[in-house]
Amino acid sequence: MMQSHLVPLSAEMSVADSPDGHRTGRRWWNARWVVPAALAAGYLLNVLFRLSLVTGQDFPTVNPDEEMYLVMARILAGLPTTEIPGNQIIPSGYSLLISPALRITQDPVYAYHLVMGINALISCLVLPAAFWALRRMHVPRPVSYAVALATVLLPPVVFYSQYAMSDTVLPLLVLLWLIGLHGLLSEGDNARRIRFGLLGAFAAGYSLLTHDRGGVIMALTGVVLVAAMVRAWAPRIATASALAVLAVMFCVKQLITAWLMARIDGARPSQVANAVFQSLENTALLRRTVMRMTGHLWYFMTSTWGLGALALVACVYVVCRRRFTLADRVSAFLMVALLAGVALAGAAGLPPDRRIDTIAYARYLSPLAAAYVLVAVAVLYHLRSRRKVLILGAAACGVTLALTGVLVHMAARELHRSVFVSWGLPDASFLSSLWKAKDNWAAFHAGRTTAVALAVLVAVLLLRLVGGRHRVALACGAVGLALTVFAGVATVAITDHVTKPWISWRHGDATGFLQAAGIRPGDRLVMDSGLRWETRMAMSFEVLDGRVWTRELAKYAPPPAGATVAVLPLGNKSPGEDSWPAAPPGWHLDRDVKAYGYVVWRNG
């Protein structure tokens, strides 16, 4: 049977207490300075690595998400208001973290570089958090460090940190949330459990403040804390303190949203939650929701190379077995419930945009990848029986293959008719690229992706089996190092084949537009609603020291008072003077940019 410390984890145990302690416990890894020095060096190297990946990345490209976060960061930094894409106020916790960048400079390129630097500093904190989580799972220090290095390099962790998006911070918050709640429910003195409870509640609350997915984390946390209070799972002072923090964070989120709405004209709260519940209540959309949920879960299992499926099987096992500790069972339940809850919410809430990545979505479950990979390796470390390792591996393969089969069966027609967008399928594209074929980076291949992901899982299992019962730490350390190399290669390949081409395609909508249109510092820009959508979204951030509006200028809507520049689509109108028949007195044609199909007017 699996050992009772299979899943996150009770009080920390020294390496000398582990099954391999007689070989590793008294060596130099136990010196006080080694772990802090190793973590500091690993953190610094990972920050530099992330910065090298975004060299030359000068502007937001994921529309409208990045611009929404950046506009809120701009206002939180004390800069004048401007138009926000979609007129929706989304959770602003991430915007709060990057707002210092917009206090330092009003040059959009320099400001975006600073945002990428902040992203790197935040995202790389996954390294010490992952090490902490593994140590609480009773994994020796050297193995914990090797696996933590692999975790911080996982493509789902790195990829979204290359953009101004809340997914940068969510993997860290999920890890801290699980560590905190497990510590609250574990044995220990009151002060220690209070600290863990506060950590878990704060991480849950900041998740809500960061993205709508945090609502699932918040709900699960509330359920666990209420149950803990009623059933005395933890000292009531610790549980009450955690509930208080949860309530405070909820109020902070509401207050910041109200504050932003009062400063952005026409803004309204995010409608994501409404869309989720409306879809779930509509029985006509049930098949679509189930299909998408299957696709999201499939993508998660393959993007974690089958390790996510292995951890899922282990967590379900722990939840169903009473002999595990309360903290382990609750933590396992939270991991399973969060996976299912986010997958269901994403499946129901996404719009019908006829894109493949809406069906097999990468982004929403990506913050769980780090936690699931850590648990998977910890499980492999603690299992001493080769038979159990094989059974668990077979179950993980079975889960992944079952999801593949259901996805292909339910979504065959939709996948064939939908649009492939490389940005939405980075991990799947990389895995299928390892299957030698010409179109792997330009098309979706569920079968190839699954086959390569499971090949990686089999390789991990074989490395673990080589260690047998007596060289477990050595084998799991080798697994960690192998995963580190593979994750690094995957991240670099995705950057080269997805991130960089995506950025080059968007140049004309961002800094390229500023240059071609002759937008100068201090300009106040009004754009016709018929102008290219990507350009209009980007300008809400790029015109950082002025402001922007969108109006139906071509349909005789007047420009806002104070606007100094107007941009309209050229269409079939020639010469450019005919593009704006309703131009008010004082406005004149500044230039027409026929290569991009628009004209620029100036006032005065």
Side-chain angles (χ1 to χ4, degrees), residues 1 128 187 196 236 239 247 269 337 370 475 526 529-530 556 602:
M1 305 297 289
E187 294 298 327
F196 274 113
R236 284 192 165 87
T239 307
V526 57
S529 57
Y556 300 96
R602 284 193 171 271

Side-chain angles (χ1 to χ4, degrees), residues 59-79:
F59 45 82
T61 58
V62 182
N63 312 116
D65 299 68
E66 285 193 88
E67 289 82 7
M68 295 171 81
Y69 291 117
L70 289 164
V71 167
M72 291 189 300
R74 160 193 178 132
I75 296 170
L76 289 168
L79 297 179

Side-chain angles (χ1 to χ4, degrees), residues 151-171:
T151 304
V152 78
L153 288 170
L154 289 173
V157 175
V158 178
F159 180 72
Y160 299 101
S161 71
Q162 296 175 331
Y163 307 93
M165 298 176 68
S166 62
D167 305 78
T168 298
V169 69
L170 286 174

Side-chain angles (χ1 to χ4, degrees), residues 5-9 133-134 137-139 147 372-384 476:
H5 45 269
L6 189 62
V7 188
L9 320 243
L134 285 165
M137 287 188 273
H138 301 170
V139 177
V147 178
Y372 268 75
V373 168
L374 292 174
V375 168
V377 177
V379 168
L380 293 177
Y381 172 78
H382 287 300
L383 286 180
R384 292 295 184 265
C476 288

Side-chain angles (χ1 to χ4, degrees), residues 276 279-280 282-299 340 343-350 358-361 365 402-411 414:
V276 170
S279 295
L280 292 176
N282 188 345
T283 56
L285 298 178
L286 179 60
R287 183 186 181 279
R288 187 190 77 175
T289 300
V290 172
M291 175 188 68
R292 287 178 172 183
M293 185 175 180
T294 302
H296 294 192
L297 291 172
W298 169 85
Y299 198 102
L344 178 61
L350 286 170
T358 300
I359 301 169
Y361 201 51
L365 290 175
L403 289 170
T404 306
V406 175
L407 173 64
V408 171
H409 174 72
M410 294 190 69
E414 287 82 356

Side-chain angles (χ1 to χ4, degrees), residues 188-230:
D189 60 68
N190 285 1
R192 179 184 179 86
R193 296 175 80 170
I194 288 172
R195 290 194 297 271
F196 274 113
L198 295 177
L199 173 65
F202 177 80
Y206 210 90
S207 297
L208 179 68
L209 190 61
T210 301
H211 194 272
D212 289 306
R213 281 166 286 176
V216 180
I217 297 177
M218 195 80 161
L220 290 173
T221 308
V223 169
V224 168
L225 292 179
V226 169
M229 180 68 77
V230 172

Side-chain angles (χ1 to χ4, degrees), residues 335-346:
M335 290 184 66
V336 175
L338 181 60
L339 183 72
V342 173
L344 178 61

